[in-house]
Amino acid sequence: MSTTADSRGRTDSANGGGVQIQQSRRLPDFLQSVNLKYVKLGYHYLMTHLLTLLLVPLMAVIIIQASQMNPDDIHHLWLHLKYNLVSVVICSAFLVFGSTVYIMTRPRSVYLVDYSCYRPPSHLQVKYRQFMEHSRLTGDFDESSLEFQRKILERSGLGEETYVPEAMHYLPPRPSMAAAREEAEQVMFGALDNLFANTNVKPKDIGILVVNCSLFNPTPSLSAMIVNKYKLRGNIRSFNLGGMGCSAGVIAVDLAKDMLQVHRNTYAVVVSTENITQNWYFGNKKSMLIPNCLFRVGGAAVLLSNKPKDKRRAKYKLVHVVRTHKGADDNAFRCVYQEQDDAGKTGVSLSKDLMAIAGLALKTNITTLGPLVLPISEQLLFFATLVAKRFFNAKVKPYIPDFNLAFDHFCIHAGGRAVIDELEKNLQLLPVHVEASRMTLHRFGNTSSSSIWYELAYTEAKGRMRKGNRVWQIAFGSGFKCNSAVWEALRNVKPSHNSPWEDCIHKYPVQIVM
């Protein structure tokens, strides 16, 4: 660029005013004078509304022809139909039958009435220095492991206000079954109490309950604990999902959606959480120390409904759920793996291939999701590139669809800074698109399957959610799985009472130093 500018400057000074005449005869540089973004948006609009634009002339011709009919023409048409009564009756019967079948078999709409994210009490917060000092005083970690945890914390993207369970604040820590139950109760009941208060829904009205928690599955189950606490009805359909990782929140929503297709006029509650108390690693294997640095206390409760009357007060409508499972591949299956180290201490090991495997799972997921959500303009461009590359051996770069044309907001699982960075890069997103994920990671840490709800709450707290906006929730989990949920806002959504961001949204976004 500088060389070009210098040569132009020398030409101008040598030729004087003659250069202006020469330049005026050249075509304008459209790459500089036209913002290609608007050209692309125009193309997107044209292709999206192509059918409508083609039907308009046809409708115009029909209206013109109808306007030219006189009373005699209308009388002849009536006589024609009158003497073909059998045909009219048969056509009407088919029309009524087809309409009835369609109404009876079409998927029922699933509405998200409201949701609640648990905000732990402030005394459970842990700062960097406190975390490191506590880890040193336990006496379980050698110097190499302590230094490794320090480096992970510094690069993690977590802030100074994340939460660890009560049992981890003691010296020595007290990871017992009773403490784990207490953590689960505080998180689940805290989120549910707020949800029921905000929606005025009685627990007895809940017909379906789905709870997901990967690493803590006591007997009786977590779902049974909720049934007992809120005295839910005896015929409730309850489910407890375990061992399904950080993407289990979307799986739980999908299960609730399927149940709502079968059971009419009812509510479904989804509770997503993770339990840290009994899953803290006290060994020195590096790959198993990472979860200690990233995972924090959190959980969310979501109220879904298939009642048509709830559309008026619901926040969102569920549009799509797409699930991808790569468990058939051995490397994918073992990349997030709970095991014992050589000293017999249990923890979750994260493979070095995790990001590569996550990328493959994401590719499969968006290949399925793309045709469902992308405008026809993007699909045609992607297809044309694919054909040119495969059949004509053209040296063209793979076309990455512009997901900004399909979604207004992105809730990327806050699994860690590297996960967010990779998705921002690969999907060509802007910093504002991953802001909710980065700020959730900073304020609450990796809360596992519930992180996508803290991110949605952040977007609402910022006042960015408008009627008709589409939200893409995407999460990754052990197995290995990549799952997506797409929601559409039914109104301008405001944050609910006692939102997790209620007392701190004014401080965000913050500048994160890596």
Coordinates of all heavy atoms in Angstrom, one line a residue, residues 14 52 62 72 78 88-89 91 100 160 182 194 219 303 307 311-312 323 370 386 421 431 441 449 454 480:
A14 N 4.8 15.2 -11.1 CA 5.5 15.3 -12.4 C 4.6 15.8 -13.4 O 4.9 16.6 -14.3 CB 6.0 13.9 -12.8
T52 N -41.3 -15.0 -3.1 CA -42.3 -13.9 -3.0 C -42.2 -13.0 -4.2 O -43.2 -12.6 -4.7 CB -42.0 -13.1 -1.7 OG1 -42.1 -14.0 -0.6 CG2 -43.1 -12.0 -1.5
I62 N -53.5 -12.5 -11.9 CA -54.8 -13.1 -11.4 C -55.8 -12.0 -11.0 O -57.0 -12.1 -11.3 CB -54.6 -14.1 -10.3 CG1 -53.7 -15.3 -10.8 CG2 -55.9 -14.6 -9.6 CD1 -53.3 -16.3 -9.7
D72 N -72.1 -11.9 -15.8 CA -72.4 -13.1 -16.6 C -71.3 -14.1 -16.4 O -71.5 -15.3 -16.3 CB -72.5 -12.7 -18.0 CG -73.8 -11.9 -18.3 OD1 -74.7 -12.1 -17.5 OD2 -73.8 -11.2 -19.3
W78 N -70.5 -20.1 -11.5 CA -71.4 -20.7 -10.4 C -72.1 -21.9 -11.0 O -72.2 -23.0 -10.3 CB -72.3 -19.7 -9.9 CG -73.4 -20.3 -9.1 CD1 -74.8 -20.3 -9.4 CD2 -73.3 -20.9 -7.8 NE1 -75.5 -21.0 -8.4 CE2 -74.6 -21.3 -7.4 CE3 -72.2 -21.2 -7.0 CZ2 -74.8 -22.0 -6.2 CZ3 -72.5 -21.9 -5.8 CH2 -73.8 -22.3 -5.4
V88 N -66.9 -31.0 -6.3 CA -66.7 -30.0 -5.2 C -66.7 -30.6 -3.8 O -65.9 -30.3 -3.0 CB -67.8 -28.9 -5.3 CG1 -67.7 -28.0 -4.1 CG2 -67.7 -28.2 -6.6
V89 N -67.6 -31.6 -3.6 CA -67.7 -32.3 -2.3 C -66.4 -33.1 -2.0 O -65.9 -33.1 -1.0 CB -69.0 -33.2 -2.3 CG1 -68.9 -34.1 -1.0 CG2 -70.2 -32.3 -2.3
C91 N -63.4 -32.7 -3.3 CA -62.3 -31.7 -3.1 C -62.4 -31.1 -1.7 O -61.3 -31.0 -1.0 CB -62.3 -30.6 -4.2 SG -61.9 -31.2 -5.8
T100 N -57.1 -31.5 8.8 CA -57.2 -32.2 10.1 C -55.9 -33.0 10.5 O -55.4 -32.9 11.6 CB -58.4 -33.1 10.2 OG1 -59.6 -32.3 9.9 CG2 -58.6 -33.7 11.5
E160 N -11.8 -12.7 39.5 CA -11.5 -12.9 40.9 C -12.8 -13.1 41.8 O -12.8 -13.1 43.0 CB -10.8 -11.6 41.5 CG -9.5 -11.3 40.8 CD -8.3 -12.0 41.5 OE1 -8.6 -12.9 42.4 OE2 -7.2 -11.8 41.2
E182 N -25.2 -31.3 49.8 CA -25.5 -30.0 50.3 C -25.3 -29.0 49.1 O -26.1 -28.1 48.9 CB -24.7 -29.6 51.5 CG -25.0 -28.2 52.0 CD -24.2 -27.8 53.2 OE1 -23.4 -28.7 53.7 OE2 -24.3 -26.7 53.7
N194 N -36.2 -19.4 42.7 CA -36.3 -18.1 42.0 C -37.2 -18.3 40.7 O -38.0 -17.4 40.4 CB -34.9 -17.6 41.6 CG -34.9 -16.2 41.1 OD1 -35.4 -15.3 41.7 ND2 -34.4 -16.0 39.9
T219 N -27.9 -41.9 45.0 CA -29.2 -42.6 45.2 C -29.8 -42.3 46.5 O -29.2 -42.4 47.5 CB -29.0 -44.2 45.1 OG1 -28.4 -44.5 43.9 CG2 -30.3 -44.9 45.2
L303 N -37.9 -23.3 32.6 CA -39.3 -23.7 32.5 C -39.8 -23.7 31.0 O -39.8 -22.6 30.4 CB -40.2 -22.7 33.3 CG -41.7 -23.1 33.3 CD1 -42.0 -24.4 34.0 CD2 -42.5 -21.9 34.0
K307 N -48.2 -25.1 26.2 CA -49.5 -24.5 26.2 C -49.6 -23.3 25.3 O -48.7 -22.3 25.4 CB -49.8 -24.1 27.7 CG -49.8 -25.2 28.7 CD -50.1 -24.7 30.1 CE -50.1 -25.8 31.1 NZ -50.5 -25.4 32.4
K311 N -47.6 -18.6 25.1 CA -46.9 -17.8 24.1 C -46.8 -16.3 24.4 O -45.8 -15.6 24.1 CB -47.5 -18.1 22.7 CG -46.7 -17.4 21.6 CD -47.3 -17.6 20.2 CE -46.6 -16.9 19.1 NZ -47.1 -17.2 17.7
R312 N -47.9 -15.8 25.0 CA -48.0 -14.4 25.2 C -47.0 -13.9 26.3 O -46.5 -12.8 26.2 CB -49.4 -14.0 25.7 CG -50.4 -14.1 24.6 CD -51.8 -13.9 25.1 NE -52.3 -14.9 26.1 CZ -53.4 -15.0 26.7 NH1 -54.3 -14.0 26.5 NH2 -53.7 -15.9 27.5
R323 N -28.0 -32.4 17.5 CA -27.0 -33.1 18.4 C -26.0 -33.9 17.5 O -26.4 -34.6 16.6 CB -27.8 -34.0 19.3 CG -28.6 -33.2 20.4 CD -29.6 -34.1 21.1 NE -29.0 -35.3 21.7 CZ -29.6 -36.2 22.4 NH1 -31.0 -36.1 22.5 NH2 -29.0 -37.2 23.0
G370 N -26.6 -25.9 9.5 CA -26.6 -24.9 8.4 C -27.8 -24.8 7.5 O -28.5 -23.8 7.4
L386 N -18.5 -25.9 -3.1 CA -18.3 -27.3 -3.0 C -18.2 -28.0 -4.3 O -17.4 -28.8 -4.6 CB -19.4 -27.9 -2.1 CG -19.3 -29.4 -1.8 CD1 -18.1 -29.6 -0.9 CD2 -20.5 -29.9 -1.1
D421 N -11.9 -18.7 21.8 CA -11.0 -18.1 20.8 C -11.2 -18.9 19.5 O -11.2 -18.3 18.4 CB -9.6 -18.2 21.3 CG -9.3 -17.2 22.4 OD1 -10.1 -16.3 22.6 OD2 -8.2 -17.3 23.0
P431 N -16.0 -9.6 18.1 CA -15.8 -9.6 19.5 C -17.1 -9.5 20.3 O -17.3 -10.1 21.3 CB -14.9 -8.4 19.8 CG -14.1 -8.3 18.6 CD -15.0 -8.6 17.4
L441 N -17.4 -16.5 31.5 CA -16.2 -17.2 32.0 C -15.5 -16.4 33.0 O -15.0 -16.9 34.0 CB -15.3 -17.5 30.8 CG -14.0 -18.3 31.1 CD1 -14.4 -19.7 31.6 CD2 -13.1 -18.4 29.9
S449 N -22.7 -27.4 32.0 CA -23.9 -27.3 31.1 C -24.7 -26.1 31.3 O -25.5 -25.8 30.5 CB -24.7 -28.6 31.3 OG -25.1 -28.7 32.7
Y454 N -26.2 -18.6 31.7 CA -25.6 -17.4 32.2 C -25.3 -16.4 31.1 O -25.4 -15.2 31.2 CB -24.3 -17.7 33.0 CG -24.5 -18.4 34.3 CD1 -24.6 -19.8 34.4 CD2 -24.6 -17.6 35.5 CE1 -24.8 -20.4 35.7 CE2 -24.8 -18.2 36.7 CZ -24.9 -19.6 36.8 OH -25.1 -20.2 38.0
F480 N -17.4 -37.9 22.4 CA -17.4 -36.5 22.6 C -18.6 -35.9 21.8 O -19.0 -36.4 20.7 CB -16.1 -35.9 22.0 CG -15.9 -34.4 22.3 CD1 -15.4 -34.0 23.5 CD2 -16.3 -33.5 21.3 CE1 -15.2 -32.6 23.7 CE2 -16.1 -32.1 21.6 CZ -15.6 -31.7 22.8

